[in-house]
């Protein structure tokens, strides 16, 4: 038996794998784009399935699609959305810039599945793609995929990290440590204060995502080829948005201006910018944890992260801050994805953006990576690091920068001289200040109390 079959399209005959659910147009794209080996990501396949189901419902309700035909298309599209046929989406992500190849891939797979149910012919263009164009389907798929991934996965993971971080801030609110600016010793802060800064970054990240989601929930379905809505009923877009809302649980709306939605990817660029900002926040938090964990003997050593795996193939006993390092690499990748998305967003030439698949891939990858990074940072670093209380207290007691608290009493110049001597002689600042000023030890203990110095308005 042959392992392929012959399919025909407007350009002629094509050999297609015998067991493939797709047809000629998909096979041509497979042959044309052997570039990265990366097929369409699962969230985009899910989105295409949901869109095709929603469109079939609307076409049925408008009397454009036979009831039985609509039913088998909806069922087949739902199977695609549920991930039952991901292997039938082999086209490389680096393909035609409109995503036409992947839209036709979905049309062909769904048509085959629907025909099997119906026991009769279902046409990928005339039936599955009715009232649609690749030019509105694929931009809609970008928005649907990104919204679902953000709302179902990223926001819960980010909330989990924020809650975990806030819990550690409350737990350690009374533990005083040496503050650091320029990586150098500075005035004291509490662990709770330091960690509260991380928590605020995460909360603002959540707020930014929510602020941008309304524009990502707006879809361009109904604009068809160039934004005029040719071959689609006048109210097709709003009806599809309502159907998608019911199918997905996310409140999608129809865009006010289809010409914007087809020609630009501003909402995706905006959301990528919010993801970039979140990545920058996570990079700062991960780096702080890495520095605070450094040592254990020759580094800062404020905390100890959980030991997760051996850190060296040659140095026995070495353990590395693997979770912060992994998170930092995720953040670097997200920053790179944002640059590519920004470049892609610039290529909205006249009535169509021509870098849609790349934008789609990078956006959903950034969401996916940040979701995993938030989860592991919360569970394997933030939740269980321990504080080196003895070491933190010893460093705090020797910190000459505490002399800043004496500025109003002895002046800056005298304070600098005391700090320099304390550094040089490696002595506690209180001992040197007692020798260099007329202040009593009791007065100095009050003025130089590190816990007192973490409160605003003292000095």
């Amino acid at each position: 038996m042959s392992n392929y079959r012959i399919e025909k399209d407007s350009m002629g005959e094509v050999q297609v794998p015998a067991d493939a659910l797709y047809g000629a147009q998909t096979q041509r794209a497979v042959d044309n784009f052997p570039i990265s080996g990366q097929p369409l990501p699962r969230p985009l396949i899910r989105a295409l399935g949901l869109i095709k189901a929603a469109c079939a419902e609307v076409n049925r309700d408008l009397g454009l699609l036979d009831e039985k035909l609509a039913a088998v298309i909806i069922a087949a599209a739902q199977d695609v959305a549920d991930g039952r046929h991901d292997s039938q989406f082999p086209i490389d992500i680096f393909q035609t810039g409109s995503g036409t190849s992947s839209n036709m891939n979905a049309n062909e797979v769904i048509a085959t599945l629907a025909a099997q149910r119906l026991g009769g012919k279902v046409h990928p263009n005339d039936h599955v793609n009715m009232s649609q164009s690749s030019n509105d389907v694929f931009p809609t798929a970008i928005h649907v995929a990104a919204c679902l991934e953000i709302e179902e996965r990223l926001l819960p993971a980010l909330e989990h990290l924020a809650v975990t971080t806030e819990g550690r801030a409350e737990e350690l609110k009374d533990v005083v440590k040496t503050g650091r600016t320029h990586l150098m010793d500075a005035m004291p802060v509490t662990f709770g204060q330091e960690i509260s800064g991380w928590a605020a970054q995460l909360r603002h990240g959540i707020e930014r995502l929510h602020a941008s989601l309304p524009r990502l929930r707006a879809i361009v379905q109904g604009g068809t080829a160039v934004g005029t809505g040719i071959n689609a009923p006048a109210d097709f877009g709003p009806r599809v948005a309502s159907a998608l809302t019911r199918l997905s649980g996310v409140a999608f709306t129809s865009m006010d201006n289809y010409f914007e939605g087809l020609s630009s990817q501003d909402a995706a660029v905006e959301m990528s910018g919010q993801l970039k900002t979140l990545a920058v926040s996570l990079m700062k938090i991960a780096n702080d944890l890495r520095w605070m964990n450094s040592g254990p003997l020759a580094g800062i050593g404020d905390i100890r992260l959980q030991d997760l795996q051996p850190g060296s193939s040659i140095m026995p006993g070495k353990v590395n801050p693997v979770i912060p390092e992994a998170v930092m690499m995720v953040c670097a990748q997200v920053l790179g994805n944002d640059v590519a998305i920004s470049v892609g967003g610039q290529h909205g030439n006249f009535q169509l953006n021509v870098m849609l698949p790349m934008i789609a891939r990078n956006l959903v990858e950034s969401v996916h990576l940040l979701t995993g990074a938030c989860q592991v940072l919360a569970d394997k670093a933030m939740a269980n690091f321990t504080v080196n209380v003895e070491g933190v207290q010893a460093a705090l007691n020797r910190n000459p920068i505490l002399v800043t608290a004496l500025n109003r009493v002895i002046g800056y110049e005298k304070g600098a001289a005391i700090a320099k001597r304390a550094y040089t002689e490696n002595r506690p600042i209180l001992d040197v200040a007692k020798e260099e000023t007329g202040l009593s030890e009791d007065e100095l203990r009050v003025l130089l109390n590190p816990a007192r110095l973490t409160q605003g308005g003292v000095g």
Side-chain angles (χ1 to χ4, degrees), residues 5-16 23-25 27-28 108:
R5 67 181 191 270
I6 301 297
E7 291 276 350
K8 294 181 180 180
D9 62 10
S10 60
M11 297 182 70
E13 294 185 346
V14 183
Q15 290 185 356
V16 177
Q25 292 200 45
Q27 188 60 49
R28 289 190 191 280
E108 291 178 342

Side-chain angles (χ1 to χ4, degrees), residues 59-71:
N59 283 321
R60 176 200 63 198
D61 294 345
L62 291 171
L64 301 175
L65 198 60
D66 174 81
E67 185 83 32
K68 290 183 179 179
L69 197 53

Side-chain angles (χ1 to χ4, degrees), residues 23-64:
Q25 292 200 45
T26 298
Q27 188 60 49
R28 289 190 191 280
V30 170
D31 295 340
N32 286 337
F33 307 112
I35 296 176
S36 70
Q38 300 177 46
L40 202 67
R42 160 104 278 273
L44 269 296
I45 299 173
R46 178 190 182 192
L48 285 171
L50 290 172
I51 292 164
K52 297 299 175 180
C55 288
E57 283 190 13
V58 175
N59 283 321
R60 176 200 63 198
D61 294 345
L62 291 171
L64 301 175

Side-chain angles (χ1 to χ4, degrees), residues 112-418:
T112 299
L113 293 170
Q116 290 173 355
R117 283 182 164 87
L118 185 67
K121 185 169 178 58
V122 179
H123 198 282
N125 297 80
D126 296 339
H127 300 141
V128 181
N129 201 59
M130 178 182 286
S131 306
Q132 306 155 57
S133 164
S134 297
N135 296 356
D136 61 356
V137 168
F138 205 88
T140 295
I142 295 175
H143 283 216
V144 171
C147 281
L148 291 174
E149 289 295 289
I150 290 168
E151 297 199 30
E152 293 178 357
R153 302 183 72 247
L154 177 55
L155 281 170
L158 185 50
E159 176 69 22
H160 174 56
L161 176 57
V163 168
T164 303
T165 303
E166 289 162 347
R168 295 312 306 270
E170 176 63 23
E171 176 190 343
L172 299 171
K173 65 182 180 180
D174 296 323
V175 181
V176 183
K177 57 165 289 189
T178 298
R180 294 183 179 87
T181 59
H182 302 270
L183 296 181
M184 306 298 288
D185 297 345
M187 292 298 290
V189 296
T190 68
F191 272 93
Q193 289 170 329
E194 186 166 56
I195 297 171
S196 75
W198 302 344
Q201 286 183 281
L202 298 172
R203 285 295 170 195
H204 288 146
I206 292 172
E207 290 173 10
R208 290 186 185 100
L209 294 177
H210 280 296
S212 292
L213 273 171
R215 285 171 290 285
L216 204 62
R217 293 192 195 108
I219 61 171
V220 72
Q221 200 67 51
T224 65
V226 293
T228 60
I230 186 70
N231 288 344
D235 58 348
F236 189 75
R239 283 174 173 266
V240 171
S242 296
L244 274 173
T245 297
R246 183 177 51 77
L247 289 170
S248 69
V250 172
F252 291 103
T253 61
S254 185
M255 278 191 174
D256 295 332
N257 190 302
Y258 290 154
F259 301 103
E260 178 203 8
L262 292 181
S263 64
S264 78
Q265 278 294 304
D266 289 355
V269 172
E270 176 189 359
M271 183 57 78
S272 180
Q274 306 294 33
L275 298 174
K276 175 188 70 175
T277 304
L278 175 58
V280 169
S281 297
L282 292 177
M283 182 79 83
K284 182 264 192 294
I285 295 168
N287 240 330
D288 279 357
L289 287 167
R290 192 171 66 99
W291 278 102
M292 291 162 69
N293 180 75
S294 63
L297 300 179
I300 292 175
D302 281 354
I303 65 170
R304 179 165 180 172
L305 294 168
Q306 181 184 12
D307 291 349
L308 294 173
Q309 62 186 60
S312 173
S313 61
I314 191 173
M315 294 176 280
K318 191 173 188 293
V319 179
N320 298 329
V322 293
I323 297 300
E325 289 173 355
V327 170
M328 288 162 60
M329 286 189 284
V330 163
C331 295
Q333 183 63 57
V334 171
L335 296 182
N337 286 352
D338 179 66
V339 171
I341 290 169
S342 298
V343 173
Q346 297 170 29
H347 284 75
N349 308 129
F350 300 111
Q351 279 69 61
L352 183 68
N353 184 286
V354 292
M355 290 198 180
L356 296 177
M358 181 275 291
I359 291 172
R361 176 216 174 272
N362 282 12
L363 190 61
V364 298
E365 181 184 70
S366 290
V367 174
H368 175 75
L369 290 174
L370 288 170
T371 298
C374 287
Q375 194 70 47
V376 299
L377 188 64
D379 294 341
K380 297 186 178 182
M382 192 67 70
N384 49 31
F385 71 78
T386 56
V387 175
N388 176 10
V389 177
E390 183 178 338
V392 166
Q393 187 61 51
L396 192 60
N397 291 338
R398 295 194 308 273
N399 182 6
I401 301 302
L402 295 177
V403 78
T404 303
L406 305 181
N407 280 358
R408 293 184 180 179
V409 180
I410 64 175
Y412 182 93
E413 298 297 336
K414 183 66 173 177
I418 292 172

Side-chain angles (χ1 to χ4, degrees), residues 406 429-435 437-449:
L406 305 181
I429 194 72
L430 187 144
D431 292 351
V432 177
K434 187 166 59 174
E435 297 173 2
T437 70
L439 299 170
S440 69
E441 181 172 337
D442 288 343
E443 289 176 305
L444 288 169
R445 287 192 181 279
V446 171
L447 291 170
L448 299 174
N449 182 346

Side-chain angles (χ1 to χ4, degrees), residues 40 48 89 91-92 95 99-107 138:
L40 202 67
L48 285 171
F89 289 81
I91 300 172
D92 201 278
Q95 53 174 278
T100 298
S101 297
S102 287
N103 180 48
M104 282 307 305
N105 189 176
N107 289 335
F138 205 88

